PDB file of all heavy atoms in Angstrom:
ATOM      1  N   GLU R 199     -76.660  16.640 -13.628  1.00 98.00           N
ATOM      2  CA  GLU R 199     -76.498  17.022 -15.036  1.00 98.00           C
ATOM      3  C   GLU R 199     -75.199  17.783 -15.307  1.00 98.00           C
ATOM      4  O   GLU R 199     -74.917  18.141 -16.448  1.00 98.00           O
ATOM      5  CB  GLU R 199     -77.668  17.932 -15.458  1.00 98.00           C
ATOM      6  CG  GLU R 199     -79.003  17.212 -15.566  1.00 98.00           C
ATOM      7  CD  GLU R 199     -78.970  16.112 -16.611  1.00 98.00           C
ATOM      8  OE1 GLU R 199     -78.557  16.388 -17.743  1.00 98.00           O
ATOM      9  OE2 GLU R 199     -79.324  14.964 -16.267  1.00 98.00           O
ATOM     10  N   ARG R 200     -74.437  18.082 -14.268  1.00 98.00           N
ATOM     11  CA  ARG R 200     -73.270  18.950 -14.491  1.00 98.00           C
ATOM     12  C   ARG R 200     -72.215  18.257 -15.348  1.00 98.00           C
ATOM     13  O   ARG R 200     -72.068  17.037 -15.300  1.00 98.00           O
ATOM     14  CB  ARG R 200     -72.687  19.439 -13.160  1.00 98.00           C
ATOM     15  CG  ARG R 200     -71.851  18.436 -12.456  1.00 98.00           C
ATOM     16  CD  ARG R 200     -71.279  18.930 -11.138  1.00 98.00           C
ATOM     17  NE  ARG R 200     -70.277  17.996 -10.686  1.00 98.00           N
ATOM     18  CZ  ARG R 200     -70.557  16.836 -10.101  1.00 98.00           C
ATOM     19  NH1 ARG R 200     -71.798  16.470  -9.854  1.00 98.00           N
ATOM     20  NH2 ARG R 200     -69.562  16.022  -9.758  1.00 98.00           N
ATOM     21  N   LYS R 201     -71.471  19.098 -16.084  1.00 98.00           N
ATOM     22  CA  LYS R 201     -70.435  18.543 -16.971  1.00 98.00           C
ATOM     23  C   LYS R 201     -69.099  18.542 -16.241  1.00 98.00           C
ATOM     24  O   LYS R 201     -68.881  19.366 -15.345  1.00 98.00           O
ATOM     25  CB  LYS R 201     -70.321  19.415 -18.219  1.00 98.00           C
ATOM     26  CG  LYS R 201     -71.604  19.445 -19.026  1.00 98.00           C
ATOM     27  CD  LYS R 201     -71.457  20.393 -20.211  1.00 98.00           C
ATOM     28  CE  LYS R 201     -72.794  20.625 -20.901  1.00 98.00           C
ATOM     29  NZ  LYS R 201     -73.704  21.504 -20.170  1.00 98.00           N
ATOM     30  N   GLU R 202     -68.233  17.622 -16.653  1.00 98.00           N
ATOM     31  CA  GLU R 202     -66.901  17.623 -16.031  1.00 98.00           C
ATOM     32  C   GLU R 202     -66.117  18.855 -16.497  1.00 98.00           C
ATOM     33  O   GLU R 202     -66.350  19.357 -17.602  1.00 98.00           O
ATOM     34  CB  GLU R 202     -66.148  16.315 -16.338  1.00 98.00           C
ATOM     35  CG  GLU R 202     -65.726  16.109 -17.769  1.00 98.00           C
ATOM     36  CD  GLU R 202     -64.299  16.553 -18.040  1.00 98.00           C
ATOM     37  OE1 GLU R 202     -63.554  16.782 -17.080  1.00 98.00           O
ATOM     38  OE2 GLU R 202     -63.943  16.689 -19.229  1.00 98.00           O
ATOM     39  N   THR R 203     -65.243  19.332 -15.627  1.00 98.00           N
ATOM     40  CA  THR R 203     -64.440  20.502 -15.981  1.00 98.00           C
ATOM     41  C   THR R 203     -62.939  20.173 -15.951  1.00 98.00           C
ATOM     42  O   THR R 203     -62.117  21.059 -16.180  1.00 98.00           O
ATOM     43  CB  THR R 203     -64.715  21.664 -14.992  1.00 98.00           C
ATOM     44  OG1 THR R 203     -64.674  21.147 -13.654  1.00 98.00           O
ATOM     45  CG2 THR R 203     -66.056  22.323 -15.235  1.00 98.00           C
ATOM     46  N   CYS R 204     -62.606  18.910 -15.666  1.00 98.00           N
ATOM     47  CA  CYS R 204     -61.180  18.544 -15.450  1.00 98.00           C
ATOM     48  C   CYS R 204     -60.292  18.925 -16.629  1.00 98.00           C
ATOM     49  O   CYS R 204     -59.195  19.465 -16.435  1.00 98.00           O
ATOM     50  CB  CYS R 204     -61.046  17.053 -15.176  1.00 98.00           C
ATOM     51  SG  CYS R 204     -62.096  16.462 -13.844  1.00 98.00           S
ATOM     52  N   ASP R 205     -60.771  18.657 -17.851  1.00 98.00           N
ATOM     53  CA  ASP R 205     -59.932  18.904 -19.028  1.00 98.00           C
ATOM     54  C   ASP R 205     -59.620  20.380 -19.226  1.00 98.00           C
ATOM     55  O   ASP R 205     -58.647  20.728 -19.890  1.00 98.00           O
ATOM     56  CB  ASP R 205     -60.624  18.377 -20.299  1.00 98.00           C
ATOM     57  CG  ASP R 205     -60.511  16.860 -20.373  1.00 98.00           C
ATOM     58  OD1 ASP R 205     -59.769  16.293 -19.550  1.00 98.00           O
ATOM     59  OD2 ASP R 205     -61.181  16.267 -21.234  1.00 98.00           O
ATOM     60  N   GLN R 206     -60.481  21.248 -18.670  1.00 98.00           N
ATOM     61  CA  GLN R 206     -60.265  22.696 -18.852  1.00 98.00           C
ATOM     62  C   GLN R 206     -59.402  23.316 -17.748  1.00 98.00           C
ATOM     63  O   GLN R 206     -59.019  24.483 -17.845  1.00 98.00           O
ATOM     64  CB  GLN R 206     -61.610  23.423 -18.867  1.00 98.00           C
ATOM     65  CG  GLN R 206     -62.444  23.165 -20.106  1.00 98.00           C
ATOM     66  CD  GLN R 206     -63.855  23.650 -19.869  1.00 98.00           C
ATOM     67  OE1 GLN R 206     -64.696  22.909 -19.376  1.00 98.00           O
ATOM     68  NE2 GLN R 206     -64.114  24.894 -20.176  1.00 98.00           N
ATOM     69  N   LEU R 207     -59.113  22.550 -16.705  1.00 98.00           N
ATOM     70  CA  LEU R 207     -58.403  23.154 -15.565  1.00 98.00           C
ATOM     71  C   LEU R 207     -57.044  23.768 -15.926  1.00 98.00           C
ATOM     72  O   LEU R 207     -56.678  24.811 -15.372  1.00 98.00           O
ATOM     73  CB  LEU R 207     -58.234  22.143 -14.425  1.00 98.00           C
ATOM     74  CG  LEU R 207     -59.521  21.661 -13.754  1.00 98.00           C
ATOM     75  CD1 LEU R 207     -59.191  20.847 -12.511  1.00 98.00           C
ATOM     76  CD2 LEU R 207     -60.433  22.813 -13.384  1.00 98.00           C
ATOM     77  N   PRO R 208     -56.281  23.172 -16.883  1.00 97.00           N
ATOM     78  CA  PRO R 208     -54.992  23.795 -17.212  1.00 97.00           C
ATOM     79  C   PRO R 208     -55.132  25.211 -17.767  1.00 97.00           C
ATOM     80  O   PRO R 208     -54.167  25.976 -17.776  1.00 97.00           O
ATOM     81  CB  PRO R 208     -54.401  22.841 -18.271  1.00 97.00           C
ATOM     82  CG  PRO R 208     -55.076  21.529 -18.021  1.00 97.00           C
ATOM     83  CD  PRO R 208     -56.459  21.873 -17.548  1.00 97.00           C
ATOM     84  N   GLU R 209     -56.341  25.598 -18.201  1.00 97.00           N
ATOM     85  CA  GLU R 209     -56.555  26.973 -18.710  1.00 97.00           C
ATOM     86  C   GLU R 209     -56.565  28.011 -17.593  1.00 97.00           C
ATOM     87  O   GLU R 209     -56.441  29.200 -17.840  1.00 97.00           O
ATOM     88  CB  GLU R 209     -57.947  27.081 -19.385  1.00 97.00           C
ATOM     89  CG  GLU R 209     -58.102  26.320 -20.653  1.00 97.00           C
ATOM     90  CD  GLU R 209     -59.585  26.232 -21.069  1.00 97.00           C
ATOM     91  OE1 GLU R 209     -60.405  27.076 -20.665  1.00 97.00           O
ATOM     92  OE2 GLU R 209     -59.889  25.295 -21.809  1.00 97.00           O
ATOM     93  N   ILE R 210     -56.774  27.547 -16.360  1.00 96.00           N
ATOM     94  CA  ILE R 210     -56.923  28.515 -15.256  1.00 96.00           C
ATOM     95  C   ILE R 210     -55.553  29.049 -14.872  1.00 96.00           C
ATOM     96  O   ILE R 210     -54.660  28.289 -14.474  1.00 96.00           O
ATOM     97  CB  ILE R 210     -57.634  27.858 -14.048  1.00 96.00           C
ATOM     98  CG1 ILE R 210     -59.062  27.474 -14.447  1.00 96.00           C
ATOM     99  CG2 ILE R 210     -57.639  28.787 -12.830  1.00 96.00           C
ATOM    100  CD1 ILE R 210     -59.880  26.812 -13.368  1.00 96.00           C
ATOM    101  N   ASN R 211     -55.375  30.358 -14.998  1.00 93.00           N
ATOM    102  CA  ASN R 211     -54.040  30.890 -14.692  1.00 93.00           C
ATOM    103  C   ASN R 211     -54.045  31.915 -13.563  1.00 93.00           C
ATOM    104  O   ASN R 211     -53.111  32.692 -13.425  1.00 93.00           O
ATOM    105  CB  ASN R 211     -53.360  31.439 -15.957  1.00 93.00           C
ATOM    106  CG  ASN R 211     -54.184  32.525 -16.589  1.00 93.00           C
ATOM    107  OD1 ASN R 211     -55.091  33.048 -15.947  1.00 93.00           O
ATOM    108  ND2 ASN R 211     -53.906  32.867 -17.827  1.00 93.00           N
ATOM    109  N   ILE R 212     -55.101  31.892 -12.737  1.00 95.00           N
ATOM    110  CA  ILE R 212     -55.085  32.708 -11.526  1.00 95.00           C
ATOM    111  C   ILE R 212     -54.651  31.806 -10.354  1.00 95.00           C
ATOM    112  O   ILE R 212     -54.721  30.582 -10.481  1.00 95.00           O
ATOM    113  CB  ILE R 212     -56.486  33.331 -11.240  1.00 95.00           C
ATOM    114  CG1 ILE R 212     -57.577  32.247 -11.244  1.00 95.00           C
ATOM    115  CG2 ILE R 212     -56.802  34.454 -12.218  1.00 95.00           C
ATOM    116  CD1 ILE R 212     -58.952  32.737 -10.820  1.00 95.00           C
ATOM    117  N   PRO R 213     -54.213  32.399  -9.252  1.00 95.00           N
ATOM    118  CA  PRO R 213     -53.830  31.554  -8.115  1.00 95.00           C
ATOM    119  C   PRO R 213     -55.035  30.772  -7.564  1.00 95.00           C
ATOM    120  O   PRO R 213     -56.126  31.326  -7.447  1.00 95.00           O
ATOM    121  CB  PRO R 213     -53.346  32.564  -7.066  1.00 95.00           C
ATOM    122  CG  PRO R 213     -53.128  33.836  -7.791  1.00 95.00           C
ATOM    123  CD  PRO R 213     -53.992  33.826  -9.003  1.00 95.00           C
ATOM    124  N   VAL R 214     -54.787  29.509  -7.241  1.00 96.00           N
ATOM    125  CA  VAL R 214     -55.878  28.651  -6.744  1.00 96.00           C
ATOM    126  C   VAL R 214     -55.439  27.973  -5.445  1.00 96.00           C
ATOM    127  O   VAL R 214     -54.350  27.399  -5.369  1.00 96.00           O
ATOM    128  CB  VAL R 214     -56.237  27.560  -7.788  1.00 96.00           C
ATOM    129  CG1 VAL R 214     -57.404  26.702  -7.287  1.00 96.00           C
ATOM    130  CG2 VAL R 214     -56.573  28.165  -9.140  1.00 96.00           C
TER     131      VAL R 214
END
Side-chain angles (χ1 to χ4, degrees):
E199 289 299 309
R200 78 180 192 282
K201 298 177 190 75
E202 68 95 14
T203 47
C204 307
D205 284 351
Q206 289 167 271
L207 295 189
E209 292 167 23
I210 296 180
N211 59 15
I212 52 173
V214 182

